[in-house]
Amino acid sequence: MNFKIQKGHLHERRTLLQQLADYSDLMEDAITKGDLELYEKMERDFIHIVEQLEFVGKRYK
């Protein structure tokens, strides 16, 4: 794997991990506010990001 591909892979993973951190904070806020509907939406999005992260990891192995 060349350096340019590795750099792209790292950037993609870093972006997804940051999104997970952001969604985690938003989910915590939804719990604090007692907004179950928002929490469930955020949880679906969170799971989708996790799936994307898993895909990126498999693609670059």
Side-chain angles (χ1 to χ4, degrees):
M1 187 180 317
N2 69 34
F3 179 72
K4 191 173 185 176
I5 292 172
Q6 287 177 332
K7 187 176 179 182
H9 174 235
L10 178 61
H11 176 73
E12 200 170 358
R13 289 183 70 173
R14 183 179 295 135
T15 300
L16 289 169
L17 288 169
Q18 183 59 51
Q19 287 177 357
L20 285 177
D22 293 344
Y23 268 82
S24 178
D25 292 342
L26 292 171
M27 289 168 70
E28 190 173 326
D29 288 344
I31 289 171
T32 302
K33 293 176 184 175
D35 190 343
L36 183 59
E37 187 176 319
L38 177 61
Y39 175 81
E40 289 174 345
K41 181 200 175 303
M42 301 299 294
E43 185 177 38
R44 287 190 299 274
D45 293 344
F46 186 89
I47 290 168
H48 180 71
I49 295 168
V50 169
E51 290 169 348
Q52 287 178 315
L53 188 59
E54 289 173 347
F55 176 75
V56 167
K58 290 177 184 175
R59 181 173 52 178
Y60 289 102
K61 278 190 175 185

